Amino acid sequence: MQGSRSIQAVNCSILIALCSITMPTFAKTELKGVAILDHPCGKVSVKQMGLIHAGKFDEANKLSTTQMQDQWKAMPAKDREMMSGMAKEMAQTPEQFSNDVKANGLLVVDGKQATLTVKSMKRDANGSSTSTTTQNFQVDGNQCLVSR
């Protein structure tokens, strides 16, 4: 009886060791500037910004997770209209946003989650101001969906 427990313990140890070898581990990956635009999350972010800028909210919403789409649909129409108007006012053209990503973007991918942070600086006759845009993603292989 004791011998079979020893064999089971050894087999269990071997199984655990094999699982830890074959299970992939993902380290955080940081991308900066133009490299972000080649990543699926960077592409989705620029595409969504362009669609929002153009007032195409239904199309932009399709680039988000099912959960976010459901939350959007569940909102009262007047709230969706108000939020759409504010988002459109604040949205940049895809070209403007791409330039900001190239200049000051940071994409951190951590397994199935990613976060894009983009700082932009605006200068005019009244001085300068900076703003930061942060966007979260769910990553599934080569697909990124905007998430909360």
Side-chain angles (χ1 to χ4, degrees):
M1 186 83 167
Q2 184 124 346
S4 70
R5 284 190 182 162
S6 297
I7 292 172
Q8 286 176 342
V10 169
N11 286 341
C12 187
S13 297
I14 292 171
L15 183 61
I16 291 170
L18 287 174
C19 285
S20 66
I21 291 170
T22 59
M23 298 296 271
T25 56
F26 298 102
K28 280 186 182 180
T29 304
E30 290 189 2
L31 299 173
K32 293 182 180 180
V34 73
I36 296 168
L37 300 175
D38 292 330
H39 190 277
C41 293
K43 291 176 183 177
V44 165
S45 185
V46 171
K47 184 174 183 176
Q48 188 183 51
M49 181 68 77
L51 290 169
I52 292 171
H53 180 78
K56 298 179 179 181
F57 296 97
D58 289 336
E59 287 181 56
N61 201 29
K62 291 177 184 174
L63 299 174
S64 61
T65 62
T66 314
Q67 179 186 16
M68 283 190 63
Q69 291 178 38
D70 292 344
Q71 287 174 349
W72 179 256
K73 291 174 191 170
M75 289 175 65
K78 68 176 187 164
D79 290 350
R80 287 194 310 262
E81 186 178 325
M82 179 198 59
M83 290 185 70
S84 297
M86 288 185 346
K88 184 177 179 183
E89 270 185 42
M90 295 172 58
Q92 298 174 296
T93 67
E95 295 79 18
Q96 291 168 327
F97 188 62
S98 292
N99 288 337
D100 284 344
V101 169
K102 289 177 196 174
N104 296 302
L106 174 65
L107 177 65
V108 178
V109 181
D110 188 5
K112 293 187 176 260
Q113 306 295 318
T115 303
L116 174 62
T117 306
V118 181
K119 294 181 183 178
S120 59
M121 186 169 194
K122 306 226 186 305
R123 295 174 195 214
D124 60 21
N126 298 322
S128 63
S129 64
T130 58
S131 64
T132 302
T133 302
T134 302
Q135 200 168 30
N136 296 310
F137 301 91
Q138 281 187 356
V139 181
D140 186 13
N142 284 334
Q143 183 182 25
C144 285
L145 294 173
V146 178
S147 66
R148 290 215 175 252

